[in-house]
Amino acid sequence: MREGRRVNMKVYPDLAKVAAAAKEANISIQEIQFIQNIEKDVLEALSIMVEGNDDAKGYFSWLLAKNNLKTEPIK
């Protein structure tokens, strides 16, 4: 069994585009955590656990960028 890799990113989320990109890249989204900014009452980020080969993960990231989903790594 392959081990999943957590991808943390700040996004202006459009979940339909995230799901479509995952389907096209042939990766599996194992878990999504929604990170809310309570002070502004907005969804600030998603933490997505994905599973798939490295090429598929790279393609998934490229599709997100192509769809103008802004991402920024979180440490």
Side-chain angles (χ1 to χ4, degrees):
M1 182 171 158
R2 287 187 301 243
E3 186 173 331
R5 176 179 69 123
R6 184 167 301 279
V7 177
N8 294 312
M9 63 183 88
K10 286 186 179 178
V11 298
Y12 299 95
D14 180 331
L15 295 179
K17 287 183 180 178
V18 171
K23 183 176 180 180
E24 184 173 335
N26 197 30
I27 64 165
S28 172
I29 295 177
Q30 299 297 315
E31 175 185 331
I32 296 179
Q33 294 178 346
F34 300 91
I35 302 167
Q36 182 179 8
N37 181 328
I38 296 173
E39 292 176 7
K40 296 181 181 178
D41 195 29
V42 296
L43 181 60
E44 185 171 83
L46 298 176
S47 176
I48 304 173
M49 173 82 78
V50 297
E51 189 173 290
N53 65 44
D54 288 341
D55 288 340
K57 290 175 189 174
Y59 185 50
F60 175 66
S61 295
W62 180 82
L63 286 170
L64 292 178
K66 178 182 170 222
N67 284 306
N68 295 320
L69 294 178
K70 295 172 176 66
T71 63
E72 176 183 320
I74 299 174
K75 304 238 180 201

